[in-house]
């Protein structure tokens, strides 16, 4: 990498370059969108901590946690079990409420685990799709204070702040409990079959305007009763069930900004699917949210010029399911972190606590082992920027953090030294080192190799096999130190 390029990267480490076609700020409102009144510089200041943080913990906890993946012996998933099995809210709650039993201090355990893993922020489900709130809302008695005398959101925010972690809340805009919520705005939007049947039998008419008032009141409570909220993670919209029509989204966004001016919000108040790869090339309308959220996947090339966060699971489920034992290894999660760093995104990694709030031990162990790797190599992840103008073999990635470039080799099992060739015109004079392995000497020399028309110059690195054998989780990181 040429030094001039390196200096330019240093200058923009907390600033995201504007992508081709990306909207300019400020941006005017329309019928479906609130205005964005800040400048691009003001936005960069507001987004700076989040862009630097890179790694967060997602927590899916609620009534479904006690069901642990089955309803009266019938398997049904996790947080979606009510609609997967078509249960009306009364039937669901009668079974799930007695099982919901958060133990004292469980939120402290979450925060301690997040900190041990190297996370910089946490996001908790304040209310999932089943409508059960983990806070003391005045809008309904369907909440944790009424159920067990505990305001879990209050405990969570306090626990996160004690560990120096930024605070985020996930809040579902769809609701399988509230009788006024009208899922028919988008017939394809998930909804329990027997809940619809029960409302029809009782002659209850849907009134989305009443539900919108309920939703806005709950959000105002979250924005005013728990200190500064750093992130609002909305979930989710589909088809016509989005924006002004479904949620009065512009007013919701303006309220959050007014009450928490520095808040960062995702884009799921508007129709977006984190699974839809066809949207990967579409620029983000900043009136819909500050960042986009690919789900259970990492975009192949990231989203250059766009803030993004991949939300991922350690097992297969979000909420706790005792049958979910297909756990990813720490090395897989570390590679996901490296991919996010190399492509300019964040990783939000989920835990699904049990009914008592404890994190399943295999999941906790993955977080702790990732944390051991981050203790040594976190400098290659935090505050990182992608660098696209370097040619690396398949499986290799790199990030840039101010003056340093970090290479992420793939996991290898080898007894032989490994050669890495980088075109000489892409890289300046460097002294490579393997982080945490001072006795592991990486050699580098300029070589000429035959080309199609004429010889080509490369910088050849030779990395000892011991770099992998002695690395935490078998994943070394190579720092390139530039000669001055």
């Amino acid at each position: 990498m040429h030094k001039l390029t390196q200096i330019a990267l240093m200058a923009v480490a907390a600033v995201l370059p504007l992508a081709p076609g990306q909207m300019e700020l400020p941006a005017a409102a329309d019928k479906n969108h609130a205005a964005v009144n800040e400048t691009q510089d003001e936005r960069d200041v507001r987004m700076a901590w989040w862009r630097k943080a890179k790694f967060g913990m997602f927590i899916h906890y609620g009534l479904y946690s006690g069901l642990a993946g089955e309803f009266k012996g019938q398997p049904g998933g996790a947080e979606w079990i009510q609609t997967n099995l078509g249960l009306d809210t009364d039937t669901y709650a009668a079974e799930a409420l007695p099982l919901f039993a958060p133990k004292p201090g469980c939120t402290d355990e979450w925060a301690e685990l997040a900190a041990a893993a190297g996370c910089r922020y946490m996001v908790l489900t304040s209310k999932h799709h089943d409508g059960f709130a983990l806070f003391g809302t005045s809008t309904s008695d369907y909440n944790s204070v009424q159920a067990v005398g505990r305001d879990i959101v209050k405990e969570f925010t306090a626990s996160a702040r004690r560990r120096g972690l930024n605070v985020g809340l996930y809040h579902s805009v769809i609701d399988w409990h509230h009788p006024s919520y009208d899922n028919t705005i988008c017939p394809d939007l998930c909804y329990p079959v027997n809940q619809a049947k029960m409302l029809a039998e009782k002659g209850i008419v849907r009134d989305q305007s009443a539900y919108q008032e309920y939703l806005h009141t709950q959000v105002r409570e979250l924005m005013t009763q728990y200190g500064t909220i750093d992130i609002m993670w909305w979930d989710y919209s589909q088809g016509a069930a989005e924006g002004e029509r479904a949620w009065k989204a512009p007013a919701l966004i303006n309220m959050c900004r007014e009450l928490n001016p520095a808040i960062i919000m995702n884009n799921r108040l508007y129709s977006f699917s984190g699974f839809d790869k066809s949207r990967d090339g579409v620029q983000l309308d900043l009136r819909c949210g500050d960042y986009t959220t690919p789900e259970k996947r990492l975009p192949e090339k990231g989203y250059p010029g766009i803030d993004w966060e991949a939300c991922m699971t350690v097992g297969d489920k979000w909420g706790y399911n005792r049958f979910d034992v297909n756990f990813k290894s720490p090395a897989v999660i570390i590679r996901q972190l490296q991919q996010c760093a190399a492509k300019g995104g964040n990783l939000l990694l989920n835990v699904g606590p049990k009914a008592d709030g404890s994190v399943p031990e295999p999941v906790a162990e993955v977080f702790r082992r990732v944390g051991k790797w981050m203790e040594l190599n976190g400098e290659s992840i935090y505050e990182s920027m992608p660098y696209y103008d370097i040619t690396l073999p398949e499986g290799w990635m790199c990030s840039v953090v101010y003056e340093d470039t970090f290479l992420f080799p793939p996991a290898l099992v080898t007894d032989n030294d490994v050669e890495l060739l980088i075109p000489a015109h892409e890289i300046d004079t460097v002294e490579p080192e393997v982080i945490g392995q001072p006795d592991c000497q990486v050699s580098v020399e300029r070589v000429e190799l035959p080309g199609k028309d004429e010889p080509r110059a490369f910088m050849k690195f030779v990395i000892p096999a011991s770099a992998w054998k002695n690395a935490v989780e078998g994943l070394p990181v190579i720092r390139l130190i530039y000669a001055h």
Side-chain angles (χ1 to χ4, degrees):
M1 183 189 309
H2 295 294
K3 291 174 185 174
L4 288 177
T5 304
Q6 183 71 21
I7 292 169
L9 283 164
M10 290 166 58
V12 298
V15 177
L16 201 63
L18 212 61
Q22 180 68 31
M23 67 190 306
E24 295 186 6
L25 299 180
D30 61 25
K31 291 181 179 179
N32 199 37
H33 301 89
V36 179
N37 295 317
E38 64 187 351
T39 66
Q40 188 63 48
D41 287 345
E42 291 168 337
R43 168 177 162 75
D44 287 333
V45 169
R46 181 171 57 84
M47 297 294 296
W49 78 262
W50 184 90
R51 291 173 180 167
K52 293 177 180 180
K54 290 299 174 184
F55 188 23
M57 174 188 278
F58 212 177
I59 304 155
H60 275 67
Y61 183 58
L63 286 190
Y64 45 83
S65 304
L67 295 175
E70 62 182 356
F71 184 87
K72 295 183 178 180
Q74 183 178 2
E79 73 287 346
W80 280 59
I81 192 169
Q82 182 182 348
T83 195
N84 286 347
L85 299 182
L87 305 171
D88 66 77
T89 193
D90 293 343
T91 302
Y92 169 76
E95 188 74 8
L97 272 169
L99 301 174
F100 181 70
K103 64 180 180 179
C106 63
T107 60
D108 286 332
E109 293 181 9
W110 303 342
E112 289 165 8
L113 182 61
C119 298
R120 294 288 175 86
Y121 59 99
M122 303 172 72
V123 179
L124 170 69
T125 50
S126 53
K127 185 198 79 167
H128 208 275
H129 307 331
D130 63 3
F132 183 77
L134 292 183
F135 61 100
T137 177
S138 64
T139 60
S140 166
D141 62 2
Y142 200 51
N143 65 71
S144 64
V145 174
Q146 292 296 319
V148 294
R150 302 270 299 283
D151 190 317
I152 305 301
V153 167
K154 183 176 181 179
E155 295 177 17
F156 162 75
T157 54
S159 295
R161 291 177 185 128
R162 278 194 293 270
R163 295 308 303 254
L165 300 165
N166 286 79
V167 171
L169 297 176
Y170 163 113
H171 202 71
S172 173
V173 290
I174 66 176
D175 195 305
W176 303 330
H177 173 77
H178 197 283
S180 291
Y181 167 68
D182 188 2
N183 69 297
T184 64
I185 293 173
C186 176
D188 293 333
L189 195 61
C190 58
Y191 196 76
V193 172
N194 285 332
Q195 176 70 359
K197 181 180 178 182
M198 181 185 75
L199 295 176
E201 289 174 348
K202 292 182 177 181
I204 296 174
V205 178
R206 311 288 186 88
D207 181 357
Q208 188 69 1
S209 63
Y211 174 69
Q212 289 165 348
E213 182 178 351
Y214 171 89
L215 171 64
H216 285 233
T217 300
Q218 283 198 338
V219 172
R220 181 173 291 276
E221 291 170 336
L222 292 172
M223 292 294 104
T224 57
Q225 296 179 11
Y226 301 95
T228 300
I229 303 300
D230 301 300
I231 298 169
M232 200 65 181
W233 214 101
W234 308 108
D235 200 28
Y236 73 99
S237 302
Q238 182 176 333
E242 66 140 33
E244 169 65 23
R245 179 181 180 187
W247 327 120
K248 291 195 175 296
L252 206 54
I253 288 172
N254 284 335
M255 181 216 303
C256 290
R257 289 175 179 161
E258 177 185 348
L259 298 173
N260 278 284
I263 199 166
I264 295 170
M265 291 179 271
N266 73 353
N267 63 336
R268 293 195 178 190
L269 286 174
Y270 291 84
S271 185
F272 169 82
S273 169
F275 300 102
D276 186 358
K277 294 182 180 180
S278 70
R279 299 291 299 274
D280 283 2
V282 178
Q283 300 301 324
L284 175 65
D285 186 334
L286 295 177
R287 298 174 303 174
C288 296
D290 294 303
Y291 63 99
T292 193
T293 52
E295 183 168 337
K296 285 192 174 182
R297 66 186 185 88
L298 291 162
E300 183 179 354
K301 297 180 180 179
Y303 301 95
I306 295 175
D307 291 295
W308 61 274
E309 174 191 73
C311 49
M312 307 290 281
T313 56
V314 174
D316 293 326
K317 307 295 184 184
W318 297 103
Y320 176 63
N321 182 316
R322 66 185 181 90
F323 306 106
D324 182 17
V325 295
N326 185 31
F327 301 118
K328 300 174 183 69
S329 70
V332 168
I333 300 300
I334 292 164
R335 288 295 281 174
Q336 291 176 349
L337 268 170
Q338 292 175 341
Q339 288 186 68
C340 289
K343 298 175 183 180
N346 285 18
L347 177 66
L348 187 62
L349 185 62
N350 184 71
V351 297
K354 299 179 181 180
D356 67 354
S358 62
V359 176
E361 180 53 30
V363 175
E365 178 64 9
V366 169
F367 270 78
R368 287 192 291 265
R369 287 173 60 180
V370 169
K372 292 297 183 184
W373 186 91
M374 288 290 282
E375 281 180 16
L376 183 64
N377 300 292
E379 61 183 309
S380 67
I381 302 296
Y382 303 125
E383 304 191 37
S384 59
M385 295 282 289
Y387 184 60
Y388 299 107
D389 296 328
I390 188 168
T391 304
L392 295 170
E394 184 177 356
W396 288 73
M397 299 176 286
C398 82
S399 69
V400 175
V401 183
Y402 298 102
E403 294 186 344
D404 291 328
T405 299
F406 297 93
L407 299 180
F408 302 129
L412 295 174
V413 178
T414 179
D415 293 323
N416 301 315
D417 295 349
V418 174
E419 291 187 0
L420 169 66
L421 295 173
I422 300 177
H425 69 276
E426 296 179 355
I427 191 165
D428 215 327
T429 305
V430 295
E431 297 177 7
E433 67 172 13
V434 181
I435 294 179
Q437 299 186 43
D439 296 330
C440 184
Q441 300 298 312
V442 179
S443 66
V444 59
E445 64 175 329
R446 184 184 177 94
V447 298
E448 298 275 341
L449 297 177
K452 182 178 180 181
D453 299 317
E454 58 185 25
R456 295 183 62 196
F458 291 87
M459 300 301 291
K460 183 175 79 170
F461 297 79
V462 179
I463 304 127
S466 61
W468 284 268
K469 292 178 181 177
N470 296 329
V472 178
E473 301 298 337
L475 289 171
V477 176
I478 301 168
R479 185 206 315 267
L480 302 183
I481 303 172
Y482 290 83
H484 294 284

